[in-house]
Amino acid sequence: MENRDDLNSILEFLPVVLRSSSLFWPSQVVEALKALSKGPDHSQVHSGQVLFLAISDLRQSLTLSSDDLAFSTADGFSLYFDDLMSRAEANKWFGETLPAMADSLLRLPSMLEAHYKNADSISCVDSRYGLKTGLRLLKSQEAGVVLLSQELISALLACSFFCLFPDSPRGASDLQVINFDRLFASLYDNYNEKQENKIKCIIHYFERICSSIPVGNVSFERKVLAVDQNHNYIPHPKAESWSKSVVSLCLFEVCSSGLIEDHSKEALEVDFANKYFGGGALSRGCVQEEIRFMINPELIAGMLFLPCMADNEAIEVVGAERFSQYTGYASSFRFCGDFLDKKDTDIMGRRKTRIIAIDALVNPGKRQYKHDFIVREINKAFCGFSDPCKSHQYQILLKDDHFSEAELDHDLKSLESNSDNFLEIRPSANIEDEVGIATGNWGCGAFGGDPELKAIIQWLAASQALRPFIVYYTFGLESLQKLDKVTKWITSHRWSVGDLWNMIVEYSSQRSKKETQVGFFNWLLPLLSADDPMILDS
Ligand SMILES: *[C@@H]1O[C@H](CO)[C@@H](O)[C@H](O)[C@H]1NC(C)=O
């Protein structure tokens, strides 16, 4: 089989076995799946209780012990499918959806074979040629892309549902649990409606997939800021390069209502992530990241092969389809029906939905005003917001040794004329360049960050990454009432990234030393109002 290295890196995490260079299910598993695929009259699986027994048998055939599953998994399955689900829905689930899932599991080995064969042909991701795209472990500090068909993802997620992924090797590789046992066990252990509604989203996804298999692709990319001079990687900005940056600030639009995932223009939609991609999606979590994983469940597939993020890393997913509508947040989260995702697709068959996972500092408290921590946050955001195709431009922009815009323009122009490929230097009419950032209170809710500080950091990072705009959803947060005014003032005075960076660093230093207690905007306002008395009228 082609791409043997790729397969070897992931094989111990997959339920299928490799025999004489082909992938197989053990024969007992094939028999059991065949029975399931023929429906409840054949398999006798017509309740959550029996379903769990079938799962235990499948696991046993794969030499996985059911002791490794979360304690209340059986009760969770039974509660959901036998008590909470209506009889009509359960008939559809056991009669149609589950058999179709079993059928897709039967085809998993051949889907994987086809996947590795395809991934071997020269692929081109976002105008980067010759990238490997095979399913493999995307280890920390190794930038790379995995491109999966939506069909293969649905089979992998069916493995999660049946709890067929080996549990034991994952922890040692910094990978989260990928089976759905805890999702169901948590429902039973501590019944609450949000958990039931999370499961409803997942069940809805399988119902949709089984009635019509989507034909697109989804890519998962680990983005890494280079620790050394690796030219294919995004350069790692030093603190001095932020303070000297002459890049202009991008457009900043404030929306006090609306949600990132409903943003209509193509943008990098920020996932306020946990360093473990997906956070508590498969356990009890139900805030911004977890909700996104429930309404776009294909994101879950990334949890299979994307270990924990380091400070200089981000994860970008392009093409995940949205299947569900919802209302609420955290304990008020509710599934409220089908969602038809009408986003266009790109030449690789990916929906033009770009989700960027960046993990903010957790409960930073006063630490967040310390210089090293501001640098950590801005470089994390820069890593996420950057476009790896522009690494050369970033390198030039981050060099510390040009002091004027004219000199910078000269360097950029010489890059343009020297390069063989056409390189877009500044945001312009190019379609790619229309991709801005849609974000909000990153690292501020459960993570406890300062929203004013975080908004400015994201603006700086987006600008330095040459993004044309940032759309900021405030979720009506009180402390951001002045955001629009302040960003408009700054924009009208044409501050550079360096100018604003130096302000936020000065403010943070005073805040650290307890020389000021006010928020950044109030700290900045007297300075602004000396110039423009109008700013204080609000
Ligand atoms: C998905 O990706 C594969 C592999 O690169 C490609 O052959 C296929 O055409 C893509 N699908 C679509 C719908 O573009």
Side-chain angles (χ1 to χ4, degrees), residues 118-119 121 123 133 147 149 215-217 346-350:
N118 252 322
S121 56
S123 54
T133 56
L147 180 74
S149 69
V215 295
N217 289 320
D346 66 10
I347 48 162
M348 296 165 66
R350 301 176 300 176

Side-chain angles (χ1 to χ4, degrees), residues 148-151 212-218 298 321 345 348-351:
L148 302 175
S149 69
Q150 286 183 284
E151 185 182 17
S212 116
I213 296 171
V215 295
N217 289 320
V218 182
E298 289 159 341
E321 182 172 349
T345 51
M348 296 165 66
R350 301 176 300 176
R351 275 199 165 57

Side-chain angles (χ1 to χ4, degrees), residues 18 38 71 114 275 340:
L18 185 68
K38 289 181 185 151
F71 186 71
K275 67 179 174 176
L340 278 182

Side-chain angles (χ1 to χ4, degrees), residues 481-497:
Q481 273 177 353
K482 293 200 176 96
L483 182 62
D484 192 38
K485 205 157 208 173
V486 170
T487 52
K488 281 209 170 78
W489 187 93
I490 292 172
T491 303
S492 70
H493 285 71
R494 301 180 169 275
W495 285 11
S496 65
V497 165

